[in-house]
Amino acid sequence: MGCCLSKSKVEPIVASCPQCHKKYDSSVVANIGTELYDHIATVHCPEQGSIECVLCGSTVLSKSSQGYIDHLKKEHNFTAQHENGDVPREITQNVTCPECSETFQSHSADELGNSLYEHITSLHISDQINCSICEDSINPSDYVAHLRQNHDFVIRSEIRVEAPLVTSSNINSLNDAPRPMREGRPIPKPGDKVLCKWGDWQYFDSTILSFDQYKLEYYIEWDDQDPTGRNIPIEHLAVNQSPYEDEIGIGSLVLFHQGRYCANADMGRLSGVRWHQGKITSITAAQDGTKLYSGSHTKSEEDGKWVTYKDYEPNFHNYKLDELRCAPNLFDILEQNAAQQNQELNTLTQCDVYLSYCPSDSQLDVKAGLAEKPEGTNYENTNDPLKIKKDLESLGYKVLSNIRNPHNQELDLNKIVACIKNCKVFVCCISDDYASNDNCRMEMQYAKKTAHKPLIPIIVGDGGWDWQATVVGMLIAGERYIDFKMRDAFDEKFEDLKTQVGNLTNKSGTQAVDTTAKPTTPENTKKDIFISYCWTNSHLSKENNEIKELVGNEWNDPRRIKSLLAKKYNVWLDIEQLTSGQMTGMFEQITTGLINSKVVCAFVSSQYARSENCKMEFQFAAKSLKKPFIPICVGEDMAWTESVIGALVMGSGVPIVDMLDVRKDSHLEKKMEEIMERISEFIQPAEEEVMSDSPPPDYQSAIKSRAPRVGDHVISHHFRHAYYTATILSFNKEDMTYLIQWDDGDPSGRNPRYDQVGLNIEPDEDDIGVGEKVFFPQGQYGGTEGNNTGGVRYHEGVVDSAVERNGVKYFSGHHVRGGDDGKWVTYRGYDYNFHNMTVAELRIAPNAMDALFMPSE
């Protein structure tokens, strides 16, 4: 339903002080300017002396506020900005004289050019002028043209945004816009805004007109109207849209902006921004947690790149995610055209396993001339991916990998896409070479993020573990992998691989399935103690190169403590029990292990509290199953007590076993006595008990699950990271998705994932802590005829603080997603933060274990 006109408001213009970030807002541009300038003058600019610019660190001579403000305008394009970008804009252009630095401003480019020309000719030019930049002698009438052509001299624009004009005809669209429809994965298509390579390794803004699927080429139109270089190969193009965080890691190739270029009337070209290809060399975090990316140009003057443009630097520093762009995944583009593949190709590419590997990791490929041997590589002690392929084939599996064109031995990318699409399981042979190989990375991204294939990561090669910091490492972060690096461990590791492939392909009646392998059954998971821990806190995990950094020590290592407990008790530990490489199968096994255990030893730490999987285990055990637990504090600090894990532990009143200061064997022995005594409260070492294959008949009904059942009223994800009210119709355990019916009658977007749905009931206070993800209400939406009736919007947020006033807890936080993630942020009432919400206003999603173990109807 639409809003009345009386409820409309003019959105304010907002500007923040760059020194202290204090905000000023007003619907009148002049007012905000006066207020902000007065603030800078009185608070930050002494009457005499200077001020250090917070943006660039340079010292600005400032006898008044105007000196600092002029610096901000000139060097940082400072201006008051409206929060909503979809409004009319008034352009104020400015230009600085290169001789004396005097600045001229105007809304008219022609007026600005005339003012600058008159200034130069009246003050700086006689018969001839020596250019202050290159010292060439220039004819006065040619001076401005010389600056443009030789020194990239450009008129910069400041954007001052006025408030939108609110009328009776647009009030509904401004305040009650309907829910937006789904946006797909950013695969370039006609009409898209993109960045394309032109000439000497520079990238510029353009629009796609068409795509030639045979040549794998786009035909584009440059935004600056340049008529040249309009046929662009797919590898030289990127959608002009912020990438996702998991698309960029150390070593990733990105496009970054650096410098501008000016118009050329003779060529019919307008001005614009330069983009360049770079490689990420470091990732750091700002104080607010925002990731900052730094790196360097991939091309230099030796590669034919132009490096004499204004503002050129060989490196780029501290770019935010929304300032970078990524080339599309070639496999996504090829898959988009897969509908045109013939039936014969689909038949040829049907397989059980697609084995993805880097040819340089295979001695056989090197000998065949398909790859060069990396310098320093020793194949004597490594396992060849092609041997793994051969041994899987000997068990009766159809295994395909690295399909090549028989005529030129080049990779046949169309067939590889079809193979991945048609395989049952994707096995990726990860190494440093694999992570740095573009084809390998794209295969893995396509398999996991687009084709959603079950994935088994195995580690090969003679290199190190640098791949963990790359996109490849990010794609399998937290997942179990099989370490195939050492040749003498091949048989043991292959047994593990064989079991996982058998589970995921479900092949029966052939030699491919090893019926003697350890299956995931209730018998195997009948344990006294379940060990819940974060790998980052395990010294043994670090020694096995399973983690990059250890937080803890060898005496408070959960795996070491497990080995001591195992002398008296049956203990469940993930690396010994998990047999499935598929996430759903892993959750099922953990769920069964928790159900069939008698007590949970939770090795809590700050890293544990930040791990989604660890939180999932602990919440399911403590809240849903009501299992007795023993909290054992490891790591290096107690910051975890502010998290939802802390809320559960502290609220339970269960004493904590503190192992932070355990630094030698005698300390460990004493703590083990304390742990053993606590365990004896729940079980006896020699206790014999026959456990059934499933929980007792009344056990399921006693479980307090956060997972919605059929008929429950929920908050559910629709499109573009917005959530709305709905009712559950069914749940599919295979892919862990729900089928829902929207309350507003909308027929679209009815299959959300388990973690995109939350019961529309008030959660418990101990379900929410600092760092916890929640759903919070913000804004409303209007109805669309024939589509929906309108309602309240919910959004995914993360809690930043929790305070208690008069016995009531209030939670504040911020959106998890922003406009750069594809989220719609221009609705009325949008605020990046949410403030002082009570438990009654928030909702939470179930974890995977709750969803998998929903009580039967």
Side-chain angles (χ1 to χ4, degrees), residues 28 64 80 132 179 208 230 252 302 323 325 335 396 420 428 452 460 608 636 675 715 821:
V28 182
S64 69
S132 61
R179 291 195 260 167
I208 294 176
R230 298 174 60 187
S252 292
E302 295 177 355
E323 296 179 285
R325 299 294 181 263
E335 194 269 344
I420 297 174
C428 46
H452 302 293
V460 299
Y608 184 96
E636 294 179 349
I675 295 172
I715 304 297
D821 304 303

Side-chain angles (χ1 to χ4, degrees), residues 85 233-235 364 409 509 564 594 616 633 655 661 675 683 765 812:
I234 55 177
E235 65 268 23
L364 294 173
Q409 290 302 304
L564 297 173
L594 284 166
M616 192 185 307
C633 183
D661 296 326
I675 295 172
I683 51 178
E765 243 184 41
S812 300

Side-chain angles (χ1 to χ4, degrees), residues 338-488:
Q340 300 182 25
Q341 294 176 348
N342 56 42
Q343 185 59 42
E344 181 182 2
L345 178 58
N346 279 321
T347 302
L348 289 173
T349 55
Q350 293 285 342
C351 60
D352 297 309
V353 177
Y354 183 84
L355 187 83
S356 176
Y357 72 96
C358 182
S360 62
D361 288 322
S362 168
Q363 186 176 19
L364 294 173
D365 270 3
V366 170
K367 288 181 176 179
L370 299 176
E372 293 185 5
K373 179 181 178 181
E375 186 177 351
T377 299
N378 182 2
Y379 292 115
E380 291 183 5
N381 296 318
T382 63
N383 289 306
D384 197 311
L386 291 181
K387 173 174 171 47
I388 297 172
K389 176 177 183 285
K390 182 179 179 181
D391 284 12
L392 285 172
E393 289 172 333
S394 70
L395 295 173
Y397 292 109
K398 181 178 179 181
V399 185
L400 297 176
S401 63
N402 286 9
I403 309 298
R404 296 181 182 274
N405 186 313
H407 302 293
N408 57 18
Q409 290 302 304
E410 295 291 328
L411 292 174
D412 191 325
L413 300 183
N414 278 297
K415 286 185 179 178
I416 289 175
V417 167
C419 287
I420 297 174
K421 188 176 181 181
N422 292 322
C423 74
K424 295 178 180 177
V425 59
F426 182 88
V427 176
C428 46
C429 302
I430 298 174
S431 66
D432 288 346
D433 284 354
Y434 184 95
S436 61
N437 184 291
D438 285 340
N439 278 336
C440 295
R441 172 187 55 78
M442 288 192 292
E443 284 181 11
M444 188 174 176
Q445 285 178 313
Y446 172 74
K448 180 163 186 176
K449 300 186 70 175
T450 302
H452 302 293
K453 291 296 176 180
L455 187 143
I456 302 176
I458 66 177
I459 313 304
V460 299
D462 187 41
W465 295 80
D466 292 343
W467 59 266
Q468 291 181 318
T470 69
V471 168
V472 167
M474 294 163 67
L475 284 170
I476 64 166
E479 294 188 24
R480 182 179 176 235
Y481 53 76
I482 306 172
D483 188 353
F484 263 93
K485 287 177 74 74
M486 301 305 295
R487 182 173 292 186
D488 56 8

Side-chain angles (χ1 to χ4, degrees), residues 24 35-47 64-65:
Y24 289 86
E35 291 179 9
L36 180 60
Y37 296 171
D38 288 346
H39 164 79
I40 293 176
T42 56
V43 178
H44 301 299
C45 292
E47 293 184 0
S64 69
S65 63

